[in-house]
Amino acid sequence: VSASSATVTPHRAFYEMQLGHADQNSDIQAVVGRSAFTLGRDCSGWLSNEDYLIEFEGKEGGTNRIISRFESWESDAGDMYSFEISEESSFQTKKNFNGYANVTSRTGTAYFSISDETPMKLPADTYFPMRHLNAIIDGAEKGETILAASVFTGADPDDALLATNTVIGSWKIDAPGARLGEFGQKGYWPIQIAYFKPAAKAAEPEYEINYSMQSNGVVRRYVIDYGEFTIIAKLMKLEALNAPKCP
């Protein structure tokens, strides 16, 4: 069975983000953001990119803004991955960097353009994002409820590799809204993924994301939980992407 055995459909999705809840001790008072996420194909793998702009309003009235673009490619076999990141924000200097990684059943290695150090070693059987998504959907279709995996997403070297624990809820029947068009399915799985630093001893994750995910990989909405506050992302529009003509 190949890593892409699940029936994920190439698509472009547009989300709007807002503040969910904020604890009393959170500095965040409001969140406004939008994201454009594209998941496409070439003849040997998956291409994805995400552009997002998000603004955080603090208690003192100040606003912080992050503008980010992330592009990646992952082989169908799930053993090769490359990524490129461009990010600027009001609280740190602009950064542009890229990298690539590969894994086998015995070992894995990642390289970063911003690191002069030796390559990062990855645990054997590290998952890249599409392999992880496919494993979650395959597991959900088989009725499995838990998946633990090391996932390499590509990011700053300190944040690129995370231990994850995924809890898959039972299928919820819910008619798709008109905005889903041809992508609409008659329900979704609630998927909760907790992300931990690999060496973390703490029981609390760095963050959690709760997805409402259809079996074709389309996410109807997701909620990012940072502990002190949450961000809700609602799907506003979906577009079809043409598959490439391959020999």
Side-chain angles (χ1 to χ4, degrees):
V1 179
S2 80
S4 58
S5 57
T7 52
V8 174
T9 304
H11 61 279
R12 182 176 289 120
F14 299 87
Y15 297 91
E16 280 192 0
M17 302 179 201
Q18 62 188 61
L19 184 67
H21 79 261
D23 290 352
Q24 286 183 332
N25 57 347
S26 171
D27 184 50
I28 305 297
Q29 294 294 296
V31 173
V32 179
R34 57 185 182 272
S35 159
F37 173 74
T38 303
L39 183 59
R41 293 273 318 156
D42 68 8
C43 292
S44 57
W46 291 92
L47 300 157
S48 80
N49 65 63
E50 182 179 28
D51 289 285
Y52 71 82
L53 184 157
I54 190 161
E55 291 185 338
F56 300 90
E57 189 177 306
K59 274 184 180 165
E60 308 299 321
T63 300
N64 280 318
R65 169 186 285 197
I66 301 172
I67 301 170
S68 172
R69 178 171 181 82
F70 181 89
E71 299 183 55
S72 69
W73 175 84
E74 182 175 334
S75 64
D76 277 334
D79 59 348
M80 292 187 289
Y81 185 69
S82 61
F83 62 93
E84 190 170 333
I85 295 171
S86 173
E87 186 172 282
E88 56 183 302
S89 70
S90 44
F91 48 86
Q92 58 184 184
T93 55
K94 185 170 183 175
K95 46 186 184 182
N96 290 292
F97 65 96
N98 57 64
Y100 64 94
N102 49 58
V103 291
T104 68
S105 57
R106 292 184 298 281
T107 185
T109 316
Y111 304 83
F112 300 84
S113 66
I114 54 170
S115 175
D116 299 329
E117 298 171 19
T118 52
M120 176 189 286
K121 287 218 173 333
L122 303 177
D125 205 34
T126 292
Y127 286 67
F128 297 131
M130 277 307 296
R131 183 179 169 220
H132 192 225
L133 173 64
N134 282 309
I136 290 168
I137 293 173
D138 284 345
E141 287 176 339
K142 292 173 188 163
E144 295 166 4
T145 56
I146 290 178
L147 174 68
S150 293
V151 177
F152 181 90
T153 59
D156 284 317
D158 288 347
D159 301 313
L161 178 69
L162 293 165
T164 68
N165 193 30
T166 301
V167 177
I168 303 167
S170 54
W171 181 257
K172 287 198 177 317
I173 295 172
D174 183 29
R179 69 190 181 286
L180 288 166
E182 65 189 278
F183 295 98
Q185 296 183 329
K186 292 179 180 163
Y188 63 88
W189 290 293
I191 309 276
Q192 180 186 50
I193 308 180
Y195 298 84
F196 301 85
K197 286 285 176 74
K201 301 288 186 284
E204 292 296 313
E206 297 287 302
Y207 58 92
E208 292 183 3
I209 306 182
N210 292 281
Y211 298 92
S212 300
M213 187 182 293
Q214 298 185 155
S215 64
N216 58 1
V218 170
V219 174
R220 296 185 179 189
R221 87 193 276 271
Y222 59 94
V223 180
I224 310 170
D225 187 345
Y226 290 105
E228 287 189 359
F229 67 96
T230 64
I231 297 174
I232 299 169
K234 294 179 180 171
L235 180 64
M236 305 308 288
K237 191 170 80 162
L238 267 174
E239 294 175 355
L241 289 179
N242 294 327
K245 291 181 170 58
C246 298

